[in-house]
Amino acid sequence: MNEQEVFYTIALTRMTGFNFQTALHLYKTLGGGQAVYEHRKGIKEVIPDCNDRLIASLQDWDLALQRAAQEMAFIKKHKIQVLCLGADDYPLRLAECVDAPIVLYYMGNADLNDRHVINIVGTRRCTTYGQDLVRRFVSDLRQLCPNVLIVSGLAYGIDICAHRNALQNGFDTVGVLAHGLDEIYPSAHRDTAKQMISQGGLLTEYMTETRSERVNFVKRNRIVAGLSDATILVESAAKGGGLITASIAQDYNRQVFAFPGAVGAPASEGCNNLIRDNGAALITSAADFVAAMGWQVEGALEKNKSIERQLFPELSPEEQRIVKVLDEMGDFQLNQLSVKTNIPIGQLTAILFQMEMKGIVRPLAGGTYHLLK
């Protein structure tokens, strides 16, 4: 996405005359932030049912453009990636969500479209029991399924325990922030955050100079849930942010798991209630989780498909182009693959199906394809 489009898209998020859902509707309907700006004088021609308040709100972009210019300078200075909804580098799982942020700001090197992405969340006031659960879960997961991106919120308690154990076990880990990338909250986690930039990353929808207000922490939970294939709740009181994340994950049709705790234990009450009400599947170990997700058979499947692949050694020119792109570029989304291979979507879909049957490729979440080597 070009710099001009990024600039106007950032500016759109700073237009205060309408709410987020209206901005998202404008962005999707017109196809980008720059298009919204260019149609600001004739918006009724594009959206006939827009009201007078929206028309008036779109006329003055001066402050929004000034703020966007300030943000662009910070982005360039600190080498921050700007991920705009609809762009190739935007997290595909999150893009499927109805309330996906228009813009994300990212510092890090983790693939946000990794094959497996989970989040581990829970109470800020975790117990030794909760810490031990996280430690054992992450360590065992490394042995069972080593290619997983672990997401959390960099908060006290279960969040920071998840991040630190991920780092110690060689996992990439991403922290979703409730403020801009010009600060780290809580400051006690600054050293961990710095380490995460080179082994994972920091992600936020908020611009610099955004205060860490309570409502922002609630909003960021949808990003934690939306980025992930599954939410794992370790400890939670009867009410808490972890339960909010679990509820959002359910709304997104993602898997939700929870560790049980002792009956009557305040830090486990939320988990126990969620399991009781069928809001989460009970797990007691990483083996439970991996089995429930069906990830434990992938190694065997890929081995078998490699054998099957030997039965189909000859590839057509189109299949060779697809293999070359996936081998050089890694996992690729269908639309991107169509552009890179110059094969129309309809034809490409049919070819990919045949290649899947031959054990050459495997479809992943979000319309992405993976080369089985």
Side-chain angles (χ1 to χ4, degrees):
M1 185 170 287
N2 64 58
E3 188 173 302
Q4 195 82 341
E5 174 60 31
V6 171
F7 171 71
Y8 283 107
T9 300
I10 291 175
L12 175 62
T13 67
R14 296 297 299 181
M15 296 292 287
T16 57
F18 41 84
N19 61 29
F20 167 76
Q21 287 299 332
T22 301
L24 184 60
H25 176 63
L26 289 169
Y27 183 83
K28 289 183 174 180
T29 301
L30 292 166
Q34 187 170 355
V36 176
Y37 177 77
E38 292 172 348
H39 286 88
R40 67 193 185 283
K41 301 297 184 183
I43 193 66
K44 208 166 184 65
E45 298 172 8
V46 184
I47 307 177
D49 60 345
C50 68
N51 57 44
D52 292 340
R53 182 168 178 262
L54 175 58
I55 294 171
S57 298
L58 280 169
Q59 302 314 302
D60 186 5
W61 283 62
D62 289 350
L63 290 178
L65 292 174
Q66 290 174 22
R67 186 65 181 86
Q70 178 184 340
E71 197 68 14
M72 290 292 285
F74 183 87
I75 287 164
K76 290 178 182 178
K77 180 179 179 180
H78 296 279
K79 298 179 180 179
I80 294 169
Q81 301 174 55
V82 183
L83 314 177
C84 296
L85 183 64
D88 293 342
D89 52 1
Y90 193 91
L92 296 174
R93 294 171 180 84
L94 186 59
E96 297 171 356
C97 305
V98 295
D99 53 357
I102 298 173
V103 175
L104 292 167
Y105 303 94
Y106 180 48
M107 292 180 69
N109 57 10
D111 180 4
L112 300 177
N113 289 312
D114 211 339
R115 186 190 305 186
H116 300 314
V117 184
I118 66 171
N119 69 72
I120 300 174
V121 294
T123 179
R124 284 173 166 79
R125 297 182 177 88
C126 66
T127 67
T128 301
Y129 168 73
Q131 294 173 17
D132 288 343
L133 284 177
V134 173
R135 187 179 303 112
R136 186 170 67 249
F137 177 87
V138 175
S139 176
D140 291 349
L141 184 64
R142 182 65 178 174
Q143 304 303 314
L144 297 168
C145 191
N147 299 315
V148 178
L149 173 62
I150 296 177
V151 176
S152 198
L154 201 70
Y156 287 111
I158 295 299
D159 285 19
I160 194 63
C161 188
H163 290 307
R164 287 172 176 164
N165 278 280
L167 293 170
Q168 290 168 11
N169 284 277
F171 285 116
D172 284 349
T173 182
V174 169
V176 183
L177 309 181
H179 49 76
L181 290 172
D182 54 335
E183 68 166 312
I184 294 297
Y185 178 85
S187 59
H189 299 164
R190 187 178 301 276
D191 290 343
T192 301
K194 288 180 179 178
Q195 187 177 350
M196 288 166 63
I197 292 173
S198 59
Q199 191 182 323
L202 303 175
L203 183 72
T204 183
E205 67 177 313
Y206 296 106
M207 297 172 67
T208 55
E209 301 179 13
T210 301
R211 297 180 61 185
S212 307
E213 298 179 354
R214 181 181 177 83
V215 66
N216 294 350
F217 288 95
V218 176
K219 287 181 179 179
R220 70 97 185 270
N221 289 342
R222 81 187 195 285
I223 300 177
V224 173
L227 283 171
S228 311
D229 299 307
T231 290
I232 299 171
L233 186 64
V234 178
E235 282 190 312
S236 174
K239 295 181 180 179
L243 288 172
I244 294 173
T245 304
S247 176
I248 295 170
Q250 288 178 311
D251 291 340
Y252 291 161
N253 294 315
R254 308 294 167 82
Q255 299 289 329
V256 178
F257 300 89
F259 281 95
V263 173
S268 293
E269 188 176 357
C271 291
N272 291 345
N273 291 347
L274 196 64
I275 294 167
R276 178 199 63 199
D277 297 336
N278 296 316
L282 184 153
I283 56 172
T284 60
S285 65
D288 288 350
F289 170 74
V290 171
M293 294 297 291
W295 292 352
Q296 85 282 11
V297 299
E298 288 193 354
L301 282 176
E302 293 199 10
K303 182 178 180 181
N304 289 338
K305 287 192 174 184
S306 294
I307 295 171
E308 291 177 19
R309 193 171 164 185
Q310 295 173 14
L311 302 176
F312 302 90
E314 295 183 3
L315 301 180
S316 69
E318 291 81 7
E319 289 173 330
Q320 289 174 5
R321 292 212 301 273
I322 293 169
V323 168
K324 185 174 185 295
V325 170
L326 292 177
D327 187 48
E328 293 177 353
M329 308 295 292
D331 298 348
F332 239 41
Q333 203 268 343
L334 183 64
N335 291 334
Q336 298 172 304
L337 197 55
S338 177
V339 172
K340 285 289 185 181
T341 59
N342 197 30
I343 301 174
I345 290 287
Q347 181 183 354
L348 180 61
T349 302
I351 295 172
L352 286 168
F353 177 75
Q354 292 300 321
M355 293 176 72
E356 184 183 353
M357 293 301 98
K358 296 176 183 179
I360 299 170
V361 300
R362 184 167 68 86
L364 306 177
T368 301
Y369 283 84
H370 172 72
L371 179 65
L372 296 173
K373 298 181 180 180

